Amino acid sequence: MSEFDILAVVTGFLTIALVLWFGWQNRPGSAAEVSRTIVDAAETAEVLVSAAEQLWLSGKLPKEGRFPYVLNRLVAEFPAINQQQLEATIEAAVYWLKLSSENR
């Protein structure tokens, strides 16, 4: 094995070790924390969906930019929640926004 190969292997192991260590450090402490994070994400999604709608109505955000606007902010705010769950949270927030506007 050359020095380069040894360096590549050591670097790979260190990278994996750091990823695992950061994951361990950022794990939820309890089911209550997980639940609270999910509720926080849902509440934040409702606010962001309303904000995106207002930005679109005012001409400050293109129609097709609403979903990415919300998703990017949720990903930044809740990195522990996977993207598919955040997308579902956005869809639910959109549903409730539409439902509330129909009942006015």
Side-chain angles (χ1 to χ4, degrees):
M1 233 190 215
S2 71
E3 290 178 12
F4 178 76
D5 292 335
I6 293 171
L7 182 60
V9 169
V10 170
T11 302
F13 280 126
L14 286 175
T15 301
I16 292 169
L18 283 172
V19 167
L20 291 173
W21 184 76
F22 280 121
W24 178 260
Q25 293 298 325
N26 295 323
R27 74 189 187 289
S30 67
E33 283 181 35
V34 171
S35 178
R36 185 69 225 152
T37 300
I38 291 169
V39 169
D40 288 346
E43 291 172 350
T44 303
E46 289 180 12
V47 171
L48 289 171
V49 164
S50 295
E53 188 71 6
Q54 179 58 33
L55 288 168
W56 170 63
L57 290 171
S58 68
K60 295 178 182 174
L61 187 67
K63 185 174 186 174
E64 62 280 353
R66 295 176 294 176
F67 191 87
Y69 170 87
V70 176
L71 182 59
N72 290 337
R73 281 158 182 77
L74 284 177
V75 166
E77 183 81 21
F78 301 98
I81 301 176
N82 71 48
Q83 186 167 330
Q84 292 81 9
Q85 182 62 43
L86 292 175
E87 289 172 1
T89 303
I90 294 167
E91 293 298 337
V94 169
Y95 170 80
W96 287 111
L97 178 66
K98 287 181 179 179
L99 190 64
S100 70
S101 65
E102 290 173 2
N103 292 328
R104 288 183 192 182

